[in-house]
Amino acid sequence: FAAMYVLDMNMRVNNVSIIAQIIRWLGLVLLLFGQIMRTVSMATCGESFNHLIQDRRKDNHVLITRGVYAYFRHPSYVGWFYW
């Protein structure tokens, strides 16, 4: 812990520590990943995506298994987690 503090105090760019800059960029990358994941999952589902919980299956509803849904069961939730 003390070594990180010394490293943090000595490594500054424009009066902002390198570690703080890394955390900021990592936060931005995670935010963008989450938003892209949510947007792509909603677009992949098309009419089958709904923000409301349904208690009846619509006639035109289909199970989506392509795109991001081939890798994640609930990609919109994955995106929300990182968003």
Side-chain angles (χ1 to χ4, degrees), residues 25-45:
W25 282 106
L26 181 62
L28 179 64
V29 167
L30 290 175
L31 176 103
L32 291 174
F33 168 77
Q35 185 59 48
I36 290 169
M37 179 68 81
R38 285 183 57 81
T39 303
V40 168
S41 66
M42 291 178 199
T44 301
C45 277

Side-chain angles (χ1 to χ4, degrees), residues 8-39:
D8 189 35
M9 294 299 293
N10 292 330
M11 297 178 63
R12 294 188 173 272
V13 176
N14 295 332
N15 206 24
V16 178
S17 71
I18 299 295
I19 294 173
Q21 290 180 5
I22 290 170
I23 291 171
R24 286 179 185 166
W25 282 106
L26 181 62
L28 179 64
V29 167
L30 290 175
L31 176 103
L32 291 174
F33 168 77
Q35 185 59 48
I36 290 169
M37 179 68 81
R38 285 183 57 81
T39 303

Side-chain angles (χ1 to χ4, degrees), residues 58-78:
K58 292 182 179 180
D59 292 334
N60 64 346
H61 180 79
V62 293
L63 179 63
I64 307 297
T65 58
R66 66 184 185 283
V68 291
Y69 286 88
Y71 304 101
F72 299 101
R73 185 170 185 153
H74 299 288
S76 184
Y77 291 148
V78 171

